[in-house]
Amino acid sequence: QQQVKQSPQSLIVQKGGISIINCAYENTAFDYFPWYQQFPGKGPALLIAIRPDVSEKKEGRFTISFNKSAKQFSLHIMDSQPGDSATYFCAARSNAGNMLTFGGGTRLMVKP
Amino acid sequence: EPEVTQTPSHQVTQMGQEVILRCVPISNHLYFYWYRQILGQKVEFLVSFYNNEISEKSEIFDDQFSVERPDGSNFTLKIRSTKLEDSAMYFCASTAQGSHEQFFGPGTRLTVL
């Protein structure tokens, strides 16, 4: 019930294309859904986050789409760039505490 | 821009030895966390700390682990008797009062031989 399932495990996109990463959860107590970007040898860095009271949030080229009834959320990276090549983790936080439950990660490669 | 710092960047130890991983959270933050990431796997929560006590811990955080905030700036994770399976990247994170955002440090790579 605490799991967050993420797909795909890896993704290759051409420069300028759209990268889409999906996550699904079971725990209805989750109330905050951040996406983290991680470069090799670095810690995860918050990219964008959403609360379940909205269905979409956009920041620059990054958009989260949230479907509360399906318990799914996704990250869309528009106009993907080689510099976006990194591992992306979705996560969820329960309203009962602060711990983040992470998805398994998606290794994104954007080809020039 | 303020950031979470961690030392050392890499720690190599023998099985059964004690290790202390150190973190300096962002200065006005009040919530502190430790996570670990085994190579190639997802990030896993270990423990959260607020007001000088543990507020949450996972099943991974057993009696071999302890956390401490020995002074106003440091936050430490101690592993009492390391096992091979403790080899991982350990991340410290912190959060400001009233915020959801957890800021992660660069991590300490722990290698247990």
Side-chain angles (χ1 to χ4, degrees), chain A:
Chain A
Q1 179 136 11
Q2 278 294 104
Q3 278 191 335
V4 176
K5 294 182 180 179
Q6 183 171 346
S7 62
Q9 286 186 306
S10 62
L11 182 61
I12 300 174
V13 172
Q14 289 295 128
K15 179 182 175 182
I18 302 173
S19 304
I20 301 174
I21 304 170
N22 300 298
C23 284
Y25 64 97
E26 291 293 325
N27 188 350
T28 54
F30 286 148
D31 70 345
Y32 170 72
F33 302 88
W35 283 89
Y36 282 83
Q37 180 188 56
Q38 185 181 31
F39 292 105
K42 303 291 186 184
L46 180 68
L47 197 59
I48 186 172
I50 197 167
R51 299 293 298 271
D53 50 350
V54 296
S55 59
E56 186 175 281
K57 183 173 181 180
K58 183 175 180 178
E59 289 183 3
R61 296 185 294 111
F62 302 93
T63 300
I64 300 179
S65 297
F66 189 86
N67 185 330
K68 188 174 180 178
S69 61
K71 295 203 274 297
Q72 295 174 348
F73 58 111
S74 60
L75 175 70
H76 295 233
I77 305 174
M78 312 299 287
D79 187 27
S80 299
Q81 300 295 312
D84 296 330
S85 297
T87 299
Y88 291 81
F89 291 96
C90 63
R93 192 202 69 169
S94 167
N95 58 17
N98 287 322
M99 67 171 272
L100 291 176
T101 300
F102 282 82
T106 296
R107 184 172 292 186
L108 171 66
M109 181 186 297
V110 181
K111 289 193 166 182

Side-chain angles (χ1 to χ4, degrees), chain B residues 7-70:
Chain B
T7 55
S9 57
H10 190 189
Q11 174 91 46
V12 181
T13 190
Q14 294 291 324
M15 189 170 58
Q17 295 296 304
E18 174 183 287
V19 294
I20 298 176
L21 309 183
R22 292 182 166 79
C23 168
V24 179
I26 295 173
S27 64
N28 62 340
H29 286 191
L30 299 178
Y31 297 85
F32 313 114
Y33 315 88
W34 284 101
Y35 291 82
R36 78 171 185 190
Q37 184 178 31
I38 295 171
L39 185 64
Q41 298 185 23
K42 66 178 179 180
V43 179
E44 299 174 291
F45 171 79
L46 293 178
V47 66
S48 62
F49 192 86
Y50 172 72
N51 200 25
N52 283 319
E53 61 183 27
I54 291 173
S55 46
E56 291 175 276
K57 62 181 181 178
S58 71
E59 293 174 352
I60 303 168
F61 194 87
D62 61 22
D63 291 344
Q64 293 299 312
F65 291 88
S66 62
V67 289
E68 192 178 33
R69 187 152 165 83

